């Protein structure tokens, strides 16, 4: 982390570009943004994210920010979360949102899809035990609904419970009779979201143009 | 069946033909034929009411033959009936419609009908008159299409749709017109009296891709949603654009070639944009008016749905009056207001609106296709010119492909998800021409365009060619190209919830990386909309429930409730006793308190009575696509979302309501059943006694389980063997002394286990249960809670977190008490499931 000591050199950009798939221009832009957020430092802390104005209205802000510090998003077997991240980590998280290339094969698409879903899954699975438990799920739904005004916790609970049952009912075939339904595993997560075209939707259109000035 | 249908058809037709009166001129008849379609709200003035002055009479006639009084409306009604019967015939013959799209079949049937008319009259007395088409048949189709348009999808693809609708249409019109003119100059068509402007006009009218034809075909092949919305949106808007283009060129033609200079051309272009955007704007204005109106129309709920239709029609006519684009006006009216009116209006009204729009739209669609066929059988319009016709067909296809591919190429430069090649191919191939083109062609003025008939005939051929031939080949093409089909629309709660999560994540990422993307705009619009637009256009309480996740939750609950009632009905189980703790507690308490002491003594005579009342409509109501059940649930649901409720409550209320439908209460303005709590109570008591009595009988061992056995499917019976209460969390088995259900459920499962041979439905019927077996009502049937519910182990709990139904005064109170226990138990809920799986296996 904090891999930049000096001004970004071309070589470093290239390495990052290879690693994350962003173009050099895009990396440049994102680096500018990174510096803007971190107030010209090499590391980014949670507080820095909280300063982003537009993010204030986001009901699931905390989870999203948390995702930036989640080691699981950087390495396959990473555990725990970090206190601060460098540009490379920032870029890695961003790269989950790259649009797939124009011509991708079916398998590549599946890989992308899995990666994106894994990202979301990790976001829900806060305690990193491989399942989204009911508690975790309730939390998500509660936060999602937190902006809809008068709907109380009970509703959120009810919805989360129903959603959970739905998962259970979909994956019921795999369960032994006396088994508990502990939570959603990643495989089940994949299964229930089969209909969702995530690979075409969880994308940001990264322009090759610097628009940082326009946003706060 | 088909023969029967055809026979009926011909019968109707002969009635028409024989009854025809020659006194009315042909032209007038044409005009009137469509004037009074019942589908037109507010336009049903009978223009030719009085036919003949009655002659002085000698004696008082008892009955008289008054054909002339009713002739026009009668003919109209008969034609409508004939057309709809044709549709019925199509639907009955699935073999045909699986190959030829329905629209094609209808046109072919139209040929037949036209032939019959021709044979009888030696002239074509009926044909599609543009006025009728544009004023009485088209509006409801467009309104329906735009009202049912998937809103979000439409607006997120609006850019692409507009580009296709505007630029591609202009391109098609210009290129086809110019190319035809070029060929004409080159001598490919012999000697015709058509100038370049007329060719352009012809090109313009042929550029209308018909939404009706396209949707009819595309819906049958189930293409993916982006492709669908692109083609659908394009064809809808493109109609508007075509009409505008047509009128501009028409003005040019009337102006005449020499007078056209740069100024006029610029005026034409300006007029094009003013007409198109003015129409759209007018539509938005009407949408705002409608939405605001629906904030208060709940006071007159009976006619609430009618408002939308009338205002929609008015927006169409107003735009027409201001010479703006009427089609665009009604399109935008429908698209823009759907969200708000759906939120504002009562669910019943929304359903009513949907269905009435569908009836109207499908009805007139059918008529249009039939009459496209009928109109062809007319030797006056056929002027054959091989070169002209073939070249027209060639050009419209070729240029459509060129335009489509070029524009998609441009769009793909910026689109996040490019439109794939196969999609483009299908899109281009989906350029079906339909009634709009024909209507415009029929509008041509013979004085200005001497070759009108040639154009009309060619248009008809183009329509037939595209609708029938391209329609037939579309399905194989889609299959062959392996076009991505639509995935089943995700009704799952997880889908919706996670979808929302994605949206938030994506916007957050954009905020973080500082890009102003589509999501930025979307979000800002959403923000603005929530703050101001909703405030203006939505009722206060409607605003709160306007959430997608809740919507999905709601829909799911509805589904569950419906399935639950239906399945239990099939299973013969009591709807409201379920194998979940809370519900049982509820029920038990309720019964124990209220009825424990009255139950024994009553029933033998009562049962007959009950039976008579209730065996009538319950199933039909529930199975109805507009189920009364759902309506009742909907009434209160979202508003009391925090209230205590259980699925239990909903269900037993439904059950009352179902029974109550039998009480003959007619109100001019209400379709509600009686809300009299005493009555409800009384009915409930009666049934309960009745049932409990039966249980008693069952317990005494009058062969209890036979009924079920004789009725049930194998699937069910496999569960029966395991149907005992294995749920480890059930604290109280059914065997409670003042509550006899336990007896039945236990004995039924025993019985099922003991007589496995009987399970497959040997039909052994206990005389004590005969009545109940015949009754479809869920109330009537014995409670096989164990077996019945184990079929859908998850459903009842789904229901539990449910939104409250209408709180009928009487029935809820005791239930409410029990709700506390429900809530306490909630945390355990996921653990309930293993139990239910147990029972399932």
């Amino acid at each position: 982390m904090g891999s930049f000591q000096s001004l970004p050199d071309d070589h470093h950009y290239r390495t990052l570009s290879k690693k994350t798939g962003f173009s050099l221009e895009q990396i440049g832009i994102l680096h500018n943004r990174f510096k803007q957020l971190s107030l010209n430092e090499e590391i980014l802390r949670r507080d820095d994210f909280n300063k982003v104005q537009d993010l204030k209205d986001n009901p699931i802000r905390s989870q999203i920010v948390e995702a930036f510090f989640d080691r699981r998003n950087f390495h396959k077997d990473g555990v725990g979360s970090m206190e601060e991240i460098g540009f490379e980590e920032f870029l890695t998280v961003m790269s989950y949102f790259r649009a797939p290339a124009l011509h991708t094969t079916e398998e590549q698409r599946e890989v992308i899809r899995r990666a994106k879903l894994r990202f979301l899954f990790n976001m829900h699975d806060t305690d990193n035990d491989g399942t989204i438990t009911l508690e975790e799920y309730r939390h998500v739904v509660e936060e999602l609904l937190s902006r809809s005004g008068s709907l109380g916790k009970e509703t959120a609970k009810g919805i989360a419970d129903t959603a959970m049952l739905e998962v259970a009912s979909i994956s019921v075939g795999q369960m032994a009779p006396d088994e508990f339904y502990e939570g959603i595993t990643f495989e089940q997560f994949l299964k229930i979201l089969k209909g969702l075209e995530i690979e075409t939707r969880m994308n940001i259109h990264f322009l090759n143009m610097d628009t940082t000035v326009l946003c706060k | 069946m088909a023969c029967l249908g055809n026979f009926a058809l011909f019968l109707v037709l002969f009635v028409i033909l024989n009854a025809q009166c020659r006194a009315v001129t042909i032209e007038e008849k044409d005009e009137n034929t469509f004037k009074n379609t019942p589908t037109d709200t507010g336009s049903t003035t009978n223009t030719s009411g009085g036919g003949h002055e009655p002659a002085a009479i000698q004696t008082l006639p008892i009955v008289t033959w008054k054909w002339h009084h009713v002739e026009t409306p009668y003919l109209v009604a008969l034609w409508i009936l004939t057309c709809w019967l044709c549709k019925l015939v199509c639907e009955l013959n699935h073999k045909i419609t699986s190959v030829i799209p329905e629209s094609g079949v209808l046109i072919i049937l139209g040929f037949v009908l036209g032939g019959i008319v021709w044979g009888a009259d030696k002239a074509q007395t009926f044909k599609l008159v543009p006025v009728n088409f544009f004023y009485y048949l088209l509006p409801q189709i467009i309104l329906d299409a735009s009202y049912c348009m998937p809103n979000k999808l439409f607006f997120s693809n609006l850019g692409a749709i507009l580009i296709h609708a505007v630029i591609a249409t202009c391109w098609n019109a210009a290129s086809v017109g110019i190319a035809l003119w070029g060929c004409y100059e080159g001598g490919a068509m012999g000697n015709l009296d058509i100038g370049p402007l007329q060719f352009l006009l012809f090109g313009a009218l042929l550029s209308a891709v018909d939404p009706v034809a396209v949707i009819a075909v595309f819906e049958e092949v189930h293409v993916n949603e982006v492709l669908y919305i692109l083609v659908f949106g394009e064809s809808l808007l493109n109609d508007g654009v075509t009409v505008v283009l047509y009128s501009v060129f028409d003005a040019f033609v009337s102006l005449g070639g020499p007078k056209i200079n740069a100024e006029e051309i610029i005026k034409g272009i300006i007029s094009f944009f003013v007409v198109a955007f003015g129409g759209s704007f007018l539509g938005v204005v009407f949408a705002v008016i409608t939405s605001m109106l629906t904030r208060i129309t709940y006071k007159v709920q009976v006619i609430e749905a009618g408002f939308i239709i009338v205002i929609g029609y008015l927006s169409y006519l107003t735009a027409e009056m201001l010479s703006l684009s009427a089609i665009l006006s009604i399109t935008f009216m429908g698209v823009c207001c759907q969200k708000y009116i759906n939120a504002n209006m009562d669910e019943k009204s929304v359903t009513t609106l949907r269905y009435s729009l569908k009836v109207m739209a499908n009805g007139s669609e059918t008529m249009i296709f039939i009459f496209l066929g009928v109109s062809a059988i007319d030797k006056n319009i056929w002027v054959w010119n091989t070169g002209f016709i073939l070249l027209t067909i060639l050009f419209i296809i070729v240029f459509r492909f060129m335009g489509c591919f070029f524009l998609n190429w441009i769009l793909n430069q910026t689109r996040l998800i490019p439109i794939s090649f196969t999609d483009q191919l299908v899109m281009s191939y989906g350029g079906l021409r339909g009634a709009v083109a024909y209507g415009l062609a029929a509008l041509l003025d013979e004085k200005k365009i001497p070759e009108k008939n040639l154009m009309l005939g060619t248009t008809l051929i183009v329509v037939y060619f595209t609708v029938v031939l391209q329609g037939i080949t579309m399905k194989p093409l889609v299959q062959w190209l392996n076009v991505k089909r639509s995935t089943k629309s995700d009704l799952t709660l997880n889908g919706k919830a996670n979808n929302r999560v994605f949206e938030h994540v994506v916007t957050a990422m954009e905020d973080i990386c500082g890009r102003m993307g589509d999501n930025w705009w979307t979000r800002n619009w959403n923000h603005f909309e929530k703050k101001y637009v909703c405030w203006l256009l939505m009722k206060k309480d409607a605003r709160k429930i306007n959430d997608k996740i809740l919507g999905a939750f709601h829909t799911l609950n509805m589904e569950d409730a419906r399935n639950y009632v239906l399945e239990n009905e099939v299973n013969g189980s009591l709807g409201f006793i379920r194998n979940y703790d809370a519900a049982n507690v509820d029920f038990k308490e309720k019964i124990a308190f209220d009825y424990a002491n009255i139950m024994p003594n009553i029933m033998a005579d009562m049962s007959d009575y009950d039976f008579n009342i209730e065996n009538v409509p319950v199933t039909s109501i529930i199975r109805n696509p507009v189920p009364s059940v759902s309506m009742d649930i909907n009434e209160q649901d979202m508003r009391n979302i925090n209230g205590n409720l259980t699925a239990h409550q909903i269900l037993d209320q439904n059950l009352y309501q179902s029974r109550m439908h039998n009480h003959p209460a007619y109100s001019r303005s209400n379709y509600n059943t009686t809300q009299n709590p005493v009555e409800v109570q009384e009915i409930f008591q009666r049934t309960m006694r009745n049932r409990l009595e039966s249980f008693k009988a069952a317990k005494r061992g009058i062969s209890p389980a036979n009924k079920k056995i004789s009725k049930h499917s194998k699937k069910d019976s496999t569960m029966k063997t395991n149907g005992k209460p294995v749920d480890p969390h059930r604290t109280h088995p059914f065997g409670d002394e003042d509550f006899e259900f336990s007896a039945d459920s236990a004995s039924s499962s025993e019985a099922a286990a003991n007589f496995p041979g009987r399970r497959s439905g040997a039909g052994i019927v206990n005389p004590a249960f005969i009545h109940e077996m015949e009754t479809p009502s869920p109330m009537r049937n014995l409670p096989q809670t164990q077996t019945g519910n184990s079929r859908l182990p998850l459903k009842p709990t789904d229901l539990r977190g449910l939104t409250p139904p209408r709180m009928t005064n009487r029935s809820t109170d005791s239930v409410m008490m029990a709700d506390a226990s429900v809530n306490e138990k909630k945390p355990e809920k996921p653990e309930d499931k293993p139990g239910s799986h147990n029972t399932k296996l």
Side-chain angles (χ1 to χ4, degrees):
Chain A
M1 68 185 86
S3 40
F4 285 128
Q5 300 309 322
S6 60
L7 274 177
D9 56 322
D10 199 45
H11 172 71
H12 199 92
Y13 270 20
R14 272 179 207 288
T15 334
L16 284 179
S17 168
K18 237 177 236 160
K19 224 171 171 179
T20 58
F22 283 114
S23 72
L24 293 182
E25 292 93 341
Q26 285 169 336
I27 294 180
I29 293 163
L30 285 172
H31 197 203
N32 280 346
R33 177 67 180 169
F34 180 81
K35 282 191 289 190
Q36 197 188 5
L37 286 177
S38 66
L39 305 173
N40 270 326
E41 287 183 47
E42 270 92 43
I43 50 166
L44 208 54
R45 296 187 186 81
R46 285 183 174 80
D47 286 346
D48 296 325
F49 282 107
N50 293 336
K51 277 183 295 194
V52 180
Q53 274 290 319
D54 294 334
L55 213 53
K56 283 236 160 64
D57 290 331
N58 207 315
I60 51 171
R61 179 187 57 190
S62 62
Q63 282 172 318
I64 294 168
V65 172
E66 207 49 52
F68 275 93
F69 298 93
D70 194 332
R71 278 179 219 272
R72 282 174 293 173
N73 291 333
F74 310 130
H75 307 288
K76 256 209 157 118
D77 38 6
V79 176
S81 71
M82 307 203 238
E83 284 307 307
E84 46 190 35
I85 54 166
F87 181 57
E88 193 179 336
E89 282 82 13
F90 181 75
L91 213 55
T92 316
V93 173
M94 280 299 167
S95 69
Y96 282 100
F97 294 88
R98 259 176 350 102
L102 266 181
H103 302 289
T104 43
T105 62
E106 210 47 48
E107 294 114 62
Q108 278 171 317
R109 193 163 287 180
E110 191 53 38
V111 170
I112 296 172
R113 182 184 162 78
R114 275 186 84 95
K116 286 179 193 256
L117 280 172
R118 174 58 88 174
F119 183 85
L120 285 172
F121 184 80
N122 287 345
M123 233 173 73
H124 292 335
D125 178 22
T126 43
D127 62 357
N128 190 26
D129 61 352
T131 56
I132 303 175
T133 58
L134 183 64
E135 278 309 313
E136 285 163 346
Y137 210 71
R138 276 187 190 162
H139 185 65
V140 177
V141 176
E142 238 168 67
E143 292 208 322
L144 270 181
L145 288 176
S146 63
R147 298 274 154 182
S148 331
S150 61
L151 302 163
K153 276 197 165 184
E154 278 306 307
T155 319
K157 253 187 195 167
I159 294 181
D161 292 353
T162 318
M164 209 65 176
L165 286 170
E166 197 180 272
V167 184
S169 77
I170 292 173
S171 46
V172 109
Q174 307 157 355
M175 290 183 56
D178 50 350
E179 200 180 354
F180 268 4
Y181 193 69
E182 278 168 2
I184 309 168
T185 65
F186 184 59
E187 288 307 315
Q188 287 162 353
F189 193 68
L190 281 181
K191 203 169 165 189
I192 52 173
L193 297 181
K194 208 191 277 162
L196 220 59
E197 289 201 10
I198 217 180
E199 64 272 24
T200 61
R201 275 154 99 184
M202 200 169 118
N203 288 321
I204 302 178
H205 203 172
F206 289 98
L207 282 186
N208 295 329
M209 182 179 75
D210 197 344
T211 52
T212 41
V213 206
L214 297 167
C215 304
K216 276 166 274 177
Chain B
M1 268 217 268
C3 296
L4 202 73
N6 279 325
F7 179 65
L9 208 83
F10 293 151
L11 207 68
V12 170
L13 210 79
F14 276 100
V15 172
I16 298 173
L17 295 175
N18 296 334
Q20 258 178 39
C21 174
R22 311 279 169 182
V24 186
T25 62
I26 290 168
E27 268 309 303
E28 197 181 320
K29 225 183 278 171
D30 287 345
E31 285 290 318
N32 290 333
T33 304
F34 274 110
K35 212 143 213 167
N36 299 307
T37 54
T39 46
D40 305 324
T41 341
S43 67
T44 46
T45 2
N46 291 343
T47 43
S48 64
H52 289 236
E53 284 299 312
I57 48 169
Q58 312 298 323
T59 171
L60 190 77
I62 295 170
V63 286
T64 47
W65 177 252
K66 289 201 206 173
W67 167 244
H68 285 288
H69 287 268
V70 295
E71 180 178 359
T72 310
Y74 203 87
L75 284 179
V76 172
L78 271 183
W79 265 111
I80 292 172
L81 181 68
T82 319
C83 294
W84 290 4
L85 283 176
C86 289
K87 191 174 170 91
L88 187 65
V89 172
C90 294
E91 290 296 321
L92 288 177
N93 291 302
H94 257 294
K95 267 184 222 147
I96 299 175
T97 41
S98 61
V99 182
I100 310 173
E102 194 192 282
S103 41
V105 182
L106 286 175
I107 288 182
I108 293 166
L109 281 174
F111 290 151
V112 177
L113 287 178
I116 297 170
V117 175
W118 182 266
D121 272 13
K122 301 286 176 256
Q124 186 50 274
T125 32
F126 300 95
K127 62 185 174 199
L128 194 52
V129 180
V131 177
N132 294 324
F133 171 69
F134 281 110
Y135 288 154
Y136 305 119
L137 290 175
L138 190 60
Q140 58 261 38
I141 296 179
I142 309 271
L143 184 61
D144 173 61
S146 58
Y147 176 73
C148 298
M149 174 93 72
N151 216 334
K152 201 177 164 194
L153 210 57
F154 177 74
F155 282 112
S156 56
N157 288 298
L158 189 61
I161 292 172
L162 276 179
I163 285 180
H164 274 290
V166 178
I167 298 178
T169 309
C170 295
W171 154 258
N172 280 343
S175 56
V176 170
I178 291 171
L180 278 177
W181 179 63
C183 291
Y184 168 65
E185 289 291 302
M189 307 169 196
N191 203 7
L192 287 173
D193 188 9
I194 308 181
L197 280 175
Q198 277 96 330
F199 271 116
L200 278 177
L201 182 62
F202 183 60
L205 71 87
L206 272 184
S207 62
V209 175
D210 189 47
V212 180
V214 170
I215 294 314
V217 171
F218 269 56
E219 252 166 21
E220 273 174 43
V221 293
H222 303 292
V223 292
N224 64 65
E225 56 177 12
V226 173
L227 179 58
Y228 179 79
I229 200 73
L230 280 179
V231 177
F232 184 23
E234 183 213 335
S235 57
L236 203 55
L237 296 185
N238 144 307
D239 273 359
V241 176
T242 306
V243 176
V244 178
L245 213 57
Y246 174 85
S247 53
V248 170
F249 280 123
D250 196 38
F252 277 144
V253 169
S254 353
L255 213 58
K259 281 189 196 148
I260 295 172
N261 49 24
E263 193 194 348
E264 298 295 334
I265 291 175
I266 290 172
K267 268 192 193 163
I269 294 171
I270 292 175
S271 140
F272 173 80
F273 283 103
V274 169
V275 170
F277 286 99
S280 318
F281 178 72
L282 193 74
V284 175
V285 171
F286 269 94
V288 171
I289 294 173
T290 318
S291 313
M292 283 167 74
L293 191 68
T294 48
R295 286 180 62 161
I296 45 172
T297 45
Y298 63 92
K299 306 254 185 204
V300 280
Q301 217 192 77
V302 220
I303 50 170
E304 206 173 13
F307 278 113
I308 317 298
I309 299 172
V310 172
I311 294 177
Y313 193 55
L314 272 180
S315 82
Y316 187 88
L317 293 180
T318 313
E320 192 68 41
M321 181 177 74
L322 299 173
S323 79
L324 299 174
S325 169
I327 297 178
L328 287 177
S329 170
I330 200 169
T331 305
F332 275 89
M333 185 265 177
V335 172
C336 293
C337 72
Q338 53 163 276
K339 177 179 170 190
Y340 307 105
I341 59 177
N342 283 354
N344 280 343
M345 290 198 309
D346 190 89
E347 201 131 348
K348 279 181 202 166
S349 306
V350 174
T351 320
T352 314
L353 178 60
R354 260 186 209 144
Y355 275 79
S356 39
L357 276 179
K358 284 272 174 258
V359 170
M360 285 162 57
N362 278 310
S364 54
E365 195 184 301
T366 313
M367 300 186 66
I368 288 172
F369 282 121
I370 293 279
F371 272 87
L372 275 179
V374 171
S375 306
I377 314 295
D378 183 357
K379 72 175 181 208
N380 296 330
I381 64 167
W382 291 112
V383 181
W384 193 263
N385 184 325
T386 319
F388 187 78
I389 292 169
L390 288 183
L391 281 171
T392 308
I393 292 177
L394 178 72
F395 285 143
I396 60 160
I397 293 175
V398 168
F399 288 117
R400 163 108 188 154
F401 268 86
M402 283 169 62
C404 238
F405 273 89
F406 179 66
L407 288 176
N408 279 333
W409 179 77
I410 293 179
L411 284 172
N412 274 350
Q413 303 302 307
T414 51
R415 270 182 86 88
L416 198 53
I417 307 304
I419 303 162
S420 71
F421 178 76
T422 46
D423 279 6
Q424 295 182 34
L425 210 60
V426 173
M427 215 173 145
S428 320
Y429 199 68
L432 309 183
R433 268 53 167 191
V436 174
Y438 174 76
L440 290 175
L443 264 185
L444 290 172
D445 188 352
E446 212 152 346
K447 283 173 212 138
K448 286 185 276 184
I449 296 146
E451 301 285 357
K452 174 188 172 182
N453 279 338
L454 175 62
M455 290 188 178
L456 192 62
T458 312
T459 311
L460 273 177
I461 291 179
V462 168
V463 171
Y464 301 147
F465 180 83
T466 54
V467 171
V468 180
L469 278 184
Q470 284 187 306
I472 292 172
T473 45
M474 180 66 85
K475 212 173 197 172
L477 182 78
V478 169
Q479 275 156 356
W480 179 64
L481 287 174
N482 204 5
V483 172
K484 207 162 74 178
R485 304 296 189 89
S486 65
T487 41
K488 203 182 78 209
S489 70
D490 66 298
L491 191 70
T492 64
L493 205 49
N494 288 288
K496 293 266 179 180
N498 280 298
N499 206 355
R500 180 57 69 90
V501 172
F502 306 150
E503 282 169 20
H504 283 307
V505 171
V506 170
T507 41
M509 286 302 164
E510 284 197 346
D511 293 335
I512 289 169
C513 78
R515 155 158 156 73
M516 241 177 19
D518 306 337
N519 292 309
W520 190 85
W521 288 110
T522 319
R523 202 210 16 215
N524 274 7
W525 160 251
N526 284 344
H527 187 67
F528 172 77
E529 197 215 14
K530 236 178 205 160
K531 209 162 175 186
Y532 302 107
V533 181
C534 289
W535 171 79
L536 183 68
L537 300 181
M538 272 195 202
K539 279 197 294 195
K540 209 170 155 204
D541 43 356
R543 255 174 268 156
K544 282 182 201 153
I545 64 164
N546 177 30
D547 190 282
K548 236 180 19 185
I549 299 176
L550 279 177
F553 183 55
H554 170 64
T555 325
L556 272 178
N557 281 333
M558 299 272 315
E559 281 283 293
D560 287 344
R562 207 170 307 157
N563 289 344
Y564 185 64
V565 172
L566 280 178
E567 288 206 27
N568 280 315
E569 194 175 67
V570 172
N571 289 351
S573 139
L574 244 195
F576 46 91
I577 309 172
R578 304 193 322 272
N579 53 348
Y580 287 93
D581 321 52
N584 289 331
V585 172
D586 282 354
F587 190 69
K588 213 154 59 87
E589 274 176 9
K590 189 177 177 108
I591 302 302
F593 287 155
D594 290 351
Y595 308 120
N597 29 16
I598 15 171
M599 47 169 117
N601 37 7
I602 321 182
M603 284 310 61
D605 46 352
M606 270 306 218
S607 62
D608 279 337
Y609 175 45
D610 269 349
F611 168 65
N612 287 334
I613 295 182
E614 76 189 1
N615 75 347
V616 199
V618 178
T619 24
S620 62
I621 288 167
I622 292 177
R623 293 229 168 86
N624 205 313
V626 195
S628 61
V629 173
S630 68
M631 288 175 181
D632 295 332
I633 292 176
N634 289 333
E635 291 254 306
Q636 279 266 328
D637 50 13
M638 289 308 178
R639 289 156 216 178
N640 280 355
I641 197 140
N642 289 327
N644 311 322
L645 45 113
T646 58
H648 162 108
Q649 219 171 301
I650 287 155
L651 285 167
D652 53 17
Q653 277 178 9
N654 291 334
L655 296 168
Y656 303 143
Q657 309 267 346
S658 305
R659 284 178 59 87
M660 280 163 47
H661 274 288
N662 304 301
H663 288 264
Y666 173 77
S667 151
R668 198 171 53 82
S669 59
N670 272 322
Y671 184 59
N672 288 342
T673 45
T674 354
Q675 292 299 310
N676 183 0
V678 180
E679 194 176 10
V680 176
Q681 189 62 16
E682 193 253 327
I683 294 168
F684 181 67
Q685 289 187 4
R686 259 195 278 132
T687 356
M688 283 318 301
R689 282 171 206 152
N690 188 9
R691 182 165 302 104
L692 288 169
E693 189 59 23
S694 312
F695 297 150
K696 289 227 154 173
K699 202 179 179 186
R700 271 179 237 121
I702 317 174
S703 75
N706 290 347
K707 173 203 158 224
K708 214 178 10 302
I709 287 167
S710 59
K711 269 268 167 176
H712 282 171
S713 65
K714 222 169 184 168
K715 190 176 157 206
D716 191 11
S717 58
T718 53
M719 284 178 244
K720 244 174 258 164
T721 38
N722 290 327
K724 294 195 182 183
V726 265
D727 186 347
H729 296 276
R730 179 170 300 115
T731 47
H732 48 81
F734 287 102
D736 219 320
E737 67 276 5
D738 56 359
F739 194 62
E740 272 84 354
F741 292 131
S742 56
D744 183 70
S745 59
S747 63
S748 65
S749 49
E750 269 166 34
N754 290 342
F755 307 111
R758 284 191 193 168
R759 268 187 228 144
S760 48
I764 301 163
V765 176
N766 172 14
F769 292 98
I770 285 177
H771 286 311
E772 287 163 8
M773 291 188 49
E774 287 159 2
T775 55
S777 156
M779 284 294 280
R780 293 294 307 177
N781 297 314
L782 283 182
Q784 306 170 327
T785 34
Q786 290 299 311
T787 54
N789 284 308
S790 57
R791 281 189 67 181
L792 55 167
L794 300 161
K795 294 291 166 62
T797 1
D798 283 354
L799 285 163
R800 185 178 304 160
L802 193 59
T803 50
R806 177 195 302 139
M807 302 276 187
T808 316
N809 330 1
R810 206 49 195 136
S811 55
T812 42
D813 43 13
S814 59
V815 178
M816 300 272 242
M817 301 191 309
D819 278 334
S821 64
V822 176
N823 290 335
E824 280 162 30
K825 276 172 189 153
K826 258 193 178 162
E828 295 176 22
K829 219 180 290 159
E831 289 146 30
D832 281 353
K833 249 168 307 98
S836 57
H837 297 314
N838 277 346
T839 51
K840 186 169 190 173
L841 299 167

